[in-house]
Amino acid sequence: MTHKSDVVAMLLAGGQGSRLGVLTKSIAKPAVPYGGNYRIIDFPLSNCVNSGIYTVGVLTQYQPLVLNDYLGNGQPWDLDRINGGVHVLSPYEAIGGAEWYKGTANAIYQNITFIEKYDPKYVVILSGDHIYKMNYAKMIDFHKKNNADCTIAVLEVPWEEASRFGILATDENDKIYEFAEKPKEPKSNKASMGVYVFSWDKLRKYLTEDEANPDSSNDFGKNIIPTMLADNQRMFAFPFKGYWKDVGTIDSLWEANLDIINPNVDLDLSDKTWKIYSRNPMSPPHYIGENAKIENSSIGEGCEIDGLVDYSVVSPDVTIGTGAEVKYSVIMPGATIKDGAKVYYSIIAEDAVIEEGAQIGEIPEQLENSAEWGIAVIGSKARITKGKKIAPKDMIASGEEV
Amino acid sequence: MNGNKVLGMIFANIHEEALDALTDMRTMGSVPFCSRYRLIDFPLSNMVESGITKIGVVTNANFNSLMDHVGTGKPWDLSRKNDGLFLLPPYSLNSTTMWGNRIDAIYGNMGFLDQSNQEYVLMSDCYNVMNLDFEKLFEAHENSGAAVTIVGVKGKKPADFTSVLVFDKVDENGKIIEASLDPSTDEDVFYSCNIILIKKYLLQTLITTAHSKNEVSFQRSILMNCIKSEKAYAFDATDCFVGTIDSVQSYYDISMSLLNKDTKNKLFDKDRPIYTKERDDMPTLYGPDAEITNSLVADGCEIKGTVENSILFKGVKVEAGAVVKNSILMQDTVIGEATKINYIIADKNVNIKSGVELSGAENFPVSLSKDTRI
């Protein structure tokens, strides 16, 4: 018999994240490295554990190898447990055929048996696309207090950006009366964060009905939430304050990385009461050489730095040679920047090699036409040959030699 | 010989008097070393990497921090259903005193040896910072037909230890022909690191005999006898990284030698990683005015001042205007604004307030004990 869990979290980690281009060519978006020591999925997973949720299903579909490997038995997050723990849930074959996850709601529908095993009262639906620290336990308390059927976490965004988000209009009691996906004329600036708490009996009912509807695209935002709202279910918006960032595009991923070194940004990863856990590469301390210069940057363990690093995030096990310059860039684990190479406003993915004297990206002030400027991206294990120049906005595919 | 035929035995307390205040509140094995490690990580990791699956850690007193560090042995993959890590403190079974010496400690753990189905025992202390390929040792032991193989290195004899075993004459096969205990010499010698491989039943027999005769010295009564009967072989580990910590000065010197990239990479050989307990700190942050050169730094630090030729452990803070030179700063130490320190070994959680100047010398680094406030 399985031990009962009051709360089960379901983490949607199957998306491709196609807007991240070469970075998600061979790994799922939640497995993309972030902030030096982390991968994106560390944030929702650590939030779960820190909120006292120890039963987590991770729904994978697109390129799950790296993600599965990274999650392992869940030990880095204390999720290797006798009761609950982390479970990777990929699409499977059953009598009647095999089916991919058709949409976010269908992914949960196909795993109703997993959820029922724990007989939960509440199910938390999370995505693996965001960087934020949030206490889900407070949100569940809010859900209980309101006797709600569904609670959606919301963040107040600047009015001019509201039309980029799913916007929730609420009354004075935070009760939702309208939901609009990317509205042209937003009625509110409360944006959905993609974090939902459902009372399980209600969610099961709506998932089952949604599945029976052949016209539905089986998506939470497009189908489940609007249908529940139309049925006058008790739906509330849980106000969240603090850092939250969608890292779905190259620009936002780059920006969110540099946020960890920006003193004006409210993202404290050093807080011992809300640690973000990750799988540690077990590398020795980082070494800063005689001729190195490091300013305003973060450096991970296992690095050997002999060059200049300015306003950049350098992940573990990176080598930066003598005379090399890394400015306003994100260097992912295991990359090598050889002597004299320049990396400006770029993302260098895992284990890529930038040979001597090559230059990636450009400092905006150096460009005559500012429209040409953008973040350059070098895919994982790619090699940029000696002296080669890679223009801003360019993307070099994983494993390619240029 | 496979590693799974070998039982590991690590002595966590031996020679801890050598480190003064650093071992006031901890065992030799739990002395912090090189930004993120404890001394026991080196023998533990080397043993695990050579395929050893069962390790007993013999400890005597002061083992709170040791227990905290090794826990169930998970970081070394030693938290297992079969075999794994065993802490062997005194008083745990029928004994009413602390372990008196190595013979006494092994005798007291005879039950642990009996219950282990490994054929050999590999013993190590914790004062060697090393990265050894024990598989080569196992191979050499098997090929030579030795009763006991002792790991040794060539170099200056650790001056601050008493009774160092020196191999005066070794034949081309590694057989020890002549040896002496603690010869007075300034020359380079071939000396024992006290890492010993021996058949379990032989160890049990020798220990039982020595214990019944009230012998007190493992080296004098057991090893020297094995050497006399020409059954002891030396395994030369001079090519590997082995640093013997016999004093605060050598702790400092060996630490500082790792600021050479090649030396560091010899100790942290990528093929034989050194494992340790993790703390999940964020990566280290350098501020806009940080200046850092020739240093080793762990995760979780915040550097706003100047750091030169230094070794920083997890969570160290160096405030703006502070200057840290030639120093070792252990976990969570804080160096306040405009403070200047030179040749200092600061233990965990030391807090030096703003504006202080403190200096030791290269051949006399000043130690500050845990939780010191200045």
Side-chain angles (χ1 to χ4, degrees), chain A residues 35-38 73 75-76 80 260-261 268-270 272 275-280 282-304 306 314 317 319, chain B residues 34-37 74-75 258-261 264-265 268 270 273-299 302 309 312 314-315 332:
Chain A
N37 285 2
Y38 313 98
N73 66 352
Q75 189 258 319
D80 54 331
I260 76 161
I261 49 178
D268 179 13
L269 299 181
S270 66
K272 288 194 168 59
K275 275 190 182 178
I276 304 301
Y277 301 97
S278 61
R279 193 174 282 280
N280 193 290
M282 287 283 167
S283 298
H286 68 248
Y287 168 78
I288 310 288
E290 273 313 336
N291 304 310
K293 190 160 171 51
I294 314 227
E295 280 174 18
N296 248 333
S297 294
S298 91
I299 312 277
E301 289 180 332
C303 291
E304 288 187 349
D306 287 299
V314 180
D317 301 316
T319 308
Chain B
C34 193
S35 299
R36 39 180 267 125
Y37 302 94
K74 206 162 213 170
L258 298 169
L259 293 177
N260 176 304
K261 221 198 273 186
K264 175 196 70 129
N265 290 336
F268 298 109
K270 285 200 167 64
I274 306 297
Y275 303 99
T276 190
K277 184 186 171 194
E278 287 305 334
R279 214 175 87 153
D280 293 278
D281 284 76
M282 73 173 299
T284 283
L285 294 178
Y286 292 93
D289 301 315
E291 282 187 42
I292 178 155
T293 50
N294 201 38
S295 295
L296 286 166
V297 185
D299 272 351
E302 271 179 60
N309 306 328
L312 273 44
K314 289 173 194 286
D332 303 313

Side-chain angles (χ1 to χ4, degrees), chain A residues 333-347:
Chain A
T336 305
I337 320 287
K338 294 207 175 161
D339 293 359
K342 313 268 187 265
V343 176
Y344 303 135
Y345 293 81
S346 302
I347 298 176

Side-chain angles (χ1 to χ4, degrees), chain B residues 344-372:
Chain B
I344 298 291
I345 301 174
D347 204 324
K348 284 174 76 171
N349 210 17
V350 165
N351 196 327
I352 304 180
K353 288 269 180 320
S354 307
V356 176
E357 282 194 34
L358 269 181
S359 191
E362 188 171 1
N363 50 14
F364 192 74
V366 170
S367 297
L368 304 173
S369 49
K370 197 175 164 184
D371 303 323
T372 303

Side-chain angles (χ1 to χ4, degrees), chain A residues 2-215:
Chain A
T2 309
H3 207 275
K4 192 171 144 57
S5 300
D6 230 19
V7 182
V8 170
M10 299 294 274
L11 209 165
L12 299 159
Q16 181 185 353
S18 55
R19 287 175 302 160
L20 287 177
V22 300
L23 293 177
T24 48
K25 194 182 158 231
S26 54
I27 59 176
K29 181 156 84 170
V32 168
Y34 166 81
N37 285 2
Y38 313 98
R39 293 181 188 259
I40 297 168
I41 198 168
D42 289 331
F43 286 78
L45 275 184
S46 301
N47 285 340
C48 280
V49 173
N50 291 334
S51 305
I53 302 172
Y54 303 118
T55 306
V56 185
V58 179
L59 298 126
T60 64
Q61 175 154 294
Y62 173 80
Q63 289 281 11
L65 184 67
V66 174
L67 187 60
N68 289 352
D69 198 37
Y70 185 68
L71 292 172
N73 66 352
Q75 189 258 319
W77 305 271
D78 265 353
L79 285 172
D80 54 331
R81 308 181 83 90
I82 291 172
N83 297 315
V86 67
H87 297 259
V88 175
L89 305 167
S90 48
Y92 54 89
E93 189 172 327
I95 290 175
E99 228 184 343
W100 292 105
Y101 294 150
K102 288 178 286 180
T104 50
N106 175 256
I108 305 296
Y109 174 81
Q110 289 201 37
N111 288 290
I112 283 180
T113 328
F114 168 79
I115 298 172
E116 298 265 85
K117 211 168 64 162
Y118 296 97
D119 189 20
K121 284 203 185 80
Y122 309 101
V123 170
V124 183
I125 308 288
L126 303 166
S127 69
D129 306 352
H130 305 118
I131 303 297
Y132 65 112
K133 300 199 303 182
M134 179 174 177
N135 191 341
Y136 304 137
K138 284 190 182 161
M139 185 171 167
I140 294 164
D141 286 345
F142 177 89
H143 181 88
K144 287 180 192 166
K145 200 187 76 199
N146 287 315
N147 197 19
D149 299 313
C150 166
T151 301
I152 303 175
V154 293
L155 181 79
E156 287 187 20
V157 295
W159 277 94
E160 61 273 21
E161 286 179 30
S163 55
R164 286 175 39 220
F165 295 93
I167 294 295
L168 297 162
T170 55
D171 68 13
E172 69 281 3
N173 297 320
D174 292 315
K175 192 160 186 286
I176 302 167
Y177 64 86
E178 194 183 277
F179 172 74
E181 187 65 60
K182 295 181 182 147
K184 285 209 177 68
E185 281 166 25
K187 283 188 184 162
S188 127
N189 65 339
K190 287 180 178 160
S192 164
M193 296 163 63
V195 176
Y196 310 105
V197 174
F198 289 96
S199 297
W200 173 235
D201 49 351
K202 278 283 157 63
L203 178 61
R204 187 183 44 203
K205 172 176 176 281
Y206 278 93
L207 284 175
T208 313
E209 286 173 15
D210 181 66
E211 188 62 21
N213 175 4
D215 299 329

